[in-house]
Amino acid sequence: MIPEFGHFALILALVLAAIQGIVPFIGARRGDARWMEVARPAALGQLGAIALAFAALTHAYVVSDFTLANVVENSHSAKPMLYKVTGVWGNHEGSMLLWVLMLALCGAGVAVFGRNLPATLKARVLSVQAWIALGFLSFSLFTSNPFERVPNPPLDGNDLNPLLQDPGLAFHPPLLYLGYVGFSVAFSFAVAALLEGRVDAAWARWVRPWTLAAWCSLTGGIALGSWWAYYELGWGGWWFWDPVENVSFMPWLAGTALLHSAIVVEKRDTLKAWTILLAILTFSLSLMGTFIVRSGLLTSVHAFAVDPERGSYILALMGIATGGSLALFAWRAPTLKAGGLFAPVSREGALLLNNLLLATATATVLIGTLYPLFLEALTGGRVSIGPPFYNYTFVPLMLPLVAAMGVGPFLAWKRADLPGVLGRLRFVALLAVLAGLAVWYLQNGGPVLAILAMAFAVWLLAATVVEWAERVRLFRIPLADSWARARKLPRSAYGMSFAHAGLAVCMIGMIGSSAWKEEVVEAVSPGDQVEIAGFTLTLQNVEARQGPNYRSTTGVFEVTRDGQSLGVLEPERRHYPVTDRSTTEAAIRTNGLGDLYATINEPPEEGQDWTARIYYEPLVPWIWAGAAMMMFGGALSLADRRLRVGAPRRTSRQGKAVPAAAE
């Protein structure tokens, strides 16, 4: 009965989405306030209905209701409770239900927090949001119904893919989806603005919080996915430029450009058409990622569906959303008034350069991702585009971007003195050069591109610190006064500093682990030793252990350095009998500056030696530390009152409330 209740709630959400898409839109066109007010209760009702449907499906997983086909295919009674719950979105049908739940959450957020939005703009934004929801709700109900019953229920289920039974991947999809879907709000604002023919600083201020929230979520989702791939897949890497990785990275790149472009619209009332276009393209890239992983184009643990009919449905949705919005842009963009002029050397110019480089980088990743798919579809031939292509195309685009990021915050709006700014950064440049020389010396002169990239990362990190120090006039005034200035700095300023510094820290980790990783592969038996990066690993024993729903073979390695014991590494090879699949569980020892990483594989025949793969990954923990810093920076910026549209600000004397958008 509960699954039928969930199914009915999903149908109700579809009806409410249709009402929300039609009635407020007509009301905005007619100027009828009553019709426009329908948007708010419809958005909240849609969220409530989808939440009930999601709760019903979660209940089915928790109690192991094997009368549902979705539960049969993706769960098992012996599975740990955490993975019973996360199994709800570990499959195509459940993940689409999570997608529409996030979409409804964003729409309800606009309805609740957009109190200061003009009535017509708010109605149009919520209408566009509803039409997106209508497309995905119909997709879920007509092609991917999560509440489909099984005529003859089995006694138990087929279990979830063992690779997905992991805490890191359990929370990766919700963050990733919130990022994807969060950009739908920026898309809805862009379409609504084109319909109204008005884009101004207030519009940019309304768009920025939603873009920033989506960017933070997508950053966290990508970082968690990378971390999972690093420790779960057993290959010692954290990024492979896999097409499914790329389709999450492209919206992040475009969303980063959108975030910076919206700042220019807000501060200088320029780059309006470009910002609108970025909002459309960012969400379109999110839709493209949804199509690729659900169309059967790829065979991957990330690819939920292999049904071409489902892919065709999403392709049609993507064509309507992207094609329709781009057609509207081509029609209305020329009517948008141009904003203020600025010199090439200015903060606007630096942000424009940022946008151009990010857009070019996005296009590079797009070509590398889609070209093999198009070639195979057209000719049947296969070509592999892997890390070498991206290392020699994407990375060189990022170096000038990092250089500009160090300079940009020092530039004035409208017109700036570049020689003066570079003079203030001379010690930062010297530090970057010294860092490059030090790495060159320590690593015997190579690789050159890695040494150059490390120097640029140090440049960005040092420039970010100096920019903050200049804001508080550190060492130029008494420390007490600098502390007082630091306390008065807006949170958005701290957010920018943390985000830029986080990117620099990320780069240091990426460069170190990619350029100077060490690997040893040896056949070992108990008592054998493996030497790597000054460490000695001795295989003490190989043990059979029993997990909650798997059996594992665990190698016990004692780690020593210079004769001193540092602990034990216990890599595993797990076998899940229900699915008859095996996974590799790496053992990792970190000291913050690098990881000692071990995996073990069973011998091909009884009596033969075990195969041990041992890696030393220098600076790899910095990748996720930098990603956490970027997320923290985004959260700090979101906490800034100036970005909380509609939040009142009390005046100290009169006690009156002033809208935050007026600050």
Side-chain angles (χ1 to χ4, degrees), residues 238-294:
W238 44 268
W239 192 264
F240 194 66
W241 295 104
D242 178 88
V244 180
E245 295 173 337
N246 292 350
V247 296
S248 65
F249 189 43
M250 286 186 288
W252 186 89
L253 290 170
T256 304
L258 171 61
L259 191 58
H260 290 82
S261 182
I263 295 173
V264 181
V265 178
E266 180 185 347
K267 300 292 185 182
R268 295 286 300 139
D269 198 33
T270 190
L271 299 185
K272 298 176 183 178
W274 172 247
T275 304
I276 291 286
L277 181 60
L278 276 177
I280 293 171
L281 294 179
T282 301
F283 183 59
S284 297
L285 288 169
S286 297
L287 293 178
M288 187 189 73
T290 305
F291 165 69
I292 286 178
V293 300
R294 299 173 191 278

Side-chain angles (χ1 to χ4, degrees), residues 150-505:
V150 177
N152 299 303
L155 294 177
D156 221 322
N158 299 333
D159 206 0
L160 182 67
N161 186 335
L163 287 174
L164 304 181
Q165 296 185 39
D166 179 85
L169 206 66
F171 302 104
H172 158 68
L175 277 175
L176 203 65
Y177 288 0
L178 190 57
Y180 282 158
V181 172
F183 287 124
S184 71
V185 179
F187 173 85
S188 298
F189 268 100
V191 172
L194 289 173
L195 291 171
E196 291 204 345
R198 177 188 172 190
V199 179
D200 53 19
W203 175 89
R205 176 161 290 186
W206 291 319
V207 168
R208 275 183 65 197
W210 296 103
T211 304
L212 186 56
W215 181 87
C216 287
S217 297
L218 193 55
T219 301
I222 293 172
L224 269 179
S226 173
W227 181 53
W228 167 81
Y230 173 66
Y231 72 79
E232 176 68 21
L233 298 184
W235 60 294
W238 44 268
W239 192 264
F240 194 66
W241 295 104
D242 178 88
V244 180
E245 295 173 337
N246 292 350
V247 296
S248 65
F249 189 43
M250 286 186 288
W252 186 89
L253 290 170
T256 304
L258 171 61
L259 191 58
H260 290 82
S261 182
I263 295 173
V264 181
V265 178
E266 180 185 347
K267 300 292 185 182
R268 295 286 300 139
D269 198 33
T270 190
L271 299 185
K272 298 176 183 178
W274 172 247
T275 304
I276 291 286
L277 181 60
L278 276 177
I280 293 171
L281 294 179
T282 301
F283 183 59
S284 297
L285 288 169
S286 297
L287 293 178
M288 187 189 73
T290 305
F291 165 69
I292 286 178
V293 300
R294 299 173 191 278
S295 61
L297 289 176
L298 298 174
T299 301
S300 167
V301 67
H302 303 84
F304 287 115
V306 294
D307 185 352
E309 291 185 4
R310 291 174 173 176
S312 300
Y313 199 110
I314 296 180
L315 185 62
L317 290 178
M318 186 173 70
I320 293 170
T322 303
S325 57
L326 289 177
L328 180 62
F329 176 80
W331 174 43
R332 298 302 299 268
T335 66
L336 298 177
K337 294 181 180 179
L341 300 177
F342 57 89
V345 180
S346 61
R347 186 170 295 193
E348 297 98 319
L351 290 171
L352 180 59
L353 177 63
N354 158 293
N355 271 226
L356 293 176
L357 290 171
L358 284 170
T360 306
T362 305
T364 300
V365 179
L366 181 67
I367 292 170
T369 303
L370 294 186
Y371 177 73
L373 300 179
F374 283 141
L375 184 67
E376 184 177 357
L378 293 174
T379 67
R382 293 192 175 187
V383 63
S384 176
I385 294 182
F389 168 79
Y390 297 101
N391 290 341
Y392 291 107
T393 56
F394 179 83
V395 174
L397 287 171
M398 291 297 99
L399 296 185
L401 174 64
V402 171
M405 286 176 64
V407 176
F410 290 88
L411 298 175
W413 294 103
K414 195 172 182 180
R415 185 183 298 276
D417 175 20
L418 183 59
V421 169
L422 294 178
R424 293 156 64 190
L425 290 170
R426 60 186 181 277
F427 293 113
V428 173
L430 177 62
L431 181 62
V433 171
L434 291 176
L437 291 174
V439 174
W440 175 82
Y441 174 76
L442 293 172
Q443 298 299 331
N444 300 316
V448 175
L449 185 59
I451 293 171
L452 184 63
M454 190 69 79
F456 273 93
V458 173
W459 155 271
L460 176 58
L461 183 59
T464 301
V465 173
V466 169
E467 192 270 340
W468 174 84
E470 289 207 357
R471 281 177 179 265
V472 301
R473 301 186 66 186
L474 189 65
F475 304 129
R476 296 186 181 183
I477 59 176
L479 284 177
D481 294 341
S482 292
W483 173 247
R485 291 176 66 91
R487 292 179 60 187
K488 293 178 181 178
L489 277 181
R491 292 176 184 173
S492 58
Y494 279 109
M496 180 194 72
S497 297
F498 269 101
H500 285 191
L503 178 60
V505 171

